[in-house]
Amino acid sequence: MKPLYTADVKVIGGREGSVESTDGVLHHKLSMPKELGGPGGDGTNPEQLFAAGYGACYESALANIARKEGVQLKDVVIHSQVMIGKDEGADGFKLAVKLKIEMPGIERSQAEDLAKKAHAFCPYSKATRGNIDVELSVS
């Protein structure tokens, strides 16, 4: 692969530290969620960052597929959820993703078809395919 863009982010202190992009645009404190045994707090966490990235990438893939098929999308919302839990039968943890896709004004069967095609096209979906469970739901 010939890179078109490289995101460069420095992480210091893991889940209790911070993240900062080398261009300074991204700068966030990290906090371990209470649900994972941490104190919680006002920082973000890797799962939120992954959910944001996946949702944004997926929506762009959906827009690309719709444009290629001559479908006009308006007011699309992607509700991206990333769950972390114990990896049953193995040591450590595992991720799962739910993408809830809202395409107002698009007939359900067409919306479901576009959603599946976007999932096949999206770089995040390609990167996670076969590695984590990804559930799509269209409304």
Side-chain angles (χ1 to χ4, degrees):
M1 175 191 82
K2 180 182 177 187
L4 300 175
Y5 169 76
T6 300
D8 191 354
V9 176
K10 178 173 57 174
V11 179
I12 299 172
R15 286 183 169 272
E16 297 290 332
S18 65
V19 294
E20 183 175 350
S21 59
T22 55
D23 63 7
V25 173
L26 175 74
H27 185 76
H28 288 287
K29 175 181 162 187
L30 299 174
S31 299
M32 176 79 81
K34 289 182 181 181
E35 297 85 349
L36 296 177
D42 60 356
T44 189
N45 58 65
E47 292 73 33
Q48 288 178 334
L49 294 168
F50 187 65
Y54 200 155
C57 186
Y58 180 84
E59 195 281 331
S60 291
L62 181 64
N64 186 295
I65 295 297
R67 188 172 45 257
K68 286 179 181 176
E69 296 198 4
V71 178
Q72 189 81 286
L73 295 179
K74 186 176 179 191
D75 301 325
V76 170
V77 175
I78 308 299
H79 184 94
S80 178
Q81 297 177 303
V82 172
M83 290 74 61
I84 186 169
K86 291 279 187 178
D87 189 357
E88 311 239 344
D91 192 25
F93 297 87
K94 184 176 181 178
L95 296 176
V97 173
K98 288 184 181 178
L99 297 176
K100 298 177 181 178
I101 305 125
E102 298 175 20
M103 287 184 257
I106 305 296
E107 192 263 306
R108 183 173 194 83
S109 65
Q110 184 179 33
E112 289 173 349
D113 183 58
L114 290 169
K116 287 177 188 171
K117 288 177 179 174
H119 186 50
F121 184 80
C122 174
Y124 272 67
S125 294
K126 288 178 183 179
T128 60
R129 191 164 290 117
N131 296 312
I132 65 174
D133 294 332
V134 178
E135 178 184 320
L136 304 177
S137 64
V138 176
S139 62

